[in-house]
Amino acid sequence: MRGRKSALIVRMDDETRETLLGWLRCQKTPVGLAKRAWAMLLLSDGQTFSAVCRQVDMGERHVRKWAQRFVRHGAAGLYDQPRPGRRPVFSPRSRHLFGQDGLRAAG
């Protein structure tokens, strides 16, 4: 194998492996979370970061970031963290639109 060895090693127990495999099997799992779970499973099987990046279609920088979070926090570290910024005033799917907000252009 060519290249340098990574100091970041992903290990998981059987329970965590079953949790991540369950996420992959579930059709309602968000795509980003499923990709992260798949990447962690591949890394724990001993694949290199570059091979995982090609297989999961993510950048190496991102795979390393999620691997670090996984090592620190376990499976809970693979969830998205809250984004900064103001919360939406109303949900885009809200049926309670008031005033001009509820109007749509015809056509």
Side-chain angles (χ1 to χ4, degrees):
M1 191 165 19
R2 297 169 59 170
R4 62 184 170 95
K5 290 287 255 180
S6 175
L8 184 61
I9 298 171
V10 175
R11 293 188 183 112
M12 63 180 75
D13 57 357
D14 292 335
E15 183 180 340
T16 305
R17 179 175 290 279
E18 287 302 316
T19 300
L20 297 184
L21 286 171
W23 289 353
L24 289 177
R25 284 188 220 109
C26 184
Q27 294 179 357
K28 300 241 178 196
T29 303
V31 174
L33 185 60
K35 277 185 166 185
R36 292 175 219 141
W38 186 23
M40 295 309 110
L41 288 166
L42 293 173
L43 287 172
S44 71
D45 289 341
Q47 292 199 25
T48 64
F49 278 96
S50 58
V52 170
C53 294
R54 285 190 302 270
Q55 203 164 357
V56 180
D57 194 30
M58 290 173 66
E60 187 169 345
R61 177 174 153 239
H62 294 103
V63 172
R64 286 186 184 279
K65 174 183 81 169
W66 290 111
Q68 288 173 350
R69 286 190 189 179
F70 181 79
V71 168
R72 270 189 255 131
H73 305 290
L78 298 179
Y79 286 102
D80 284 325
Q81 293 179 343
R83 304 280 178 154
R86 183 177 176 210
R87 303 285 299 170
V89 177
F90 60 91
S91 170
R93 296 182 182 176
S94 176
R95 295 182 184 172
H96 306 290
L97 300 175
F98 303 105
Q100 297 293 320
D101 295 335
L103 297 177
R104 302 248 185 240

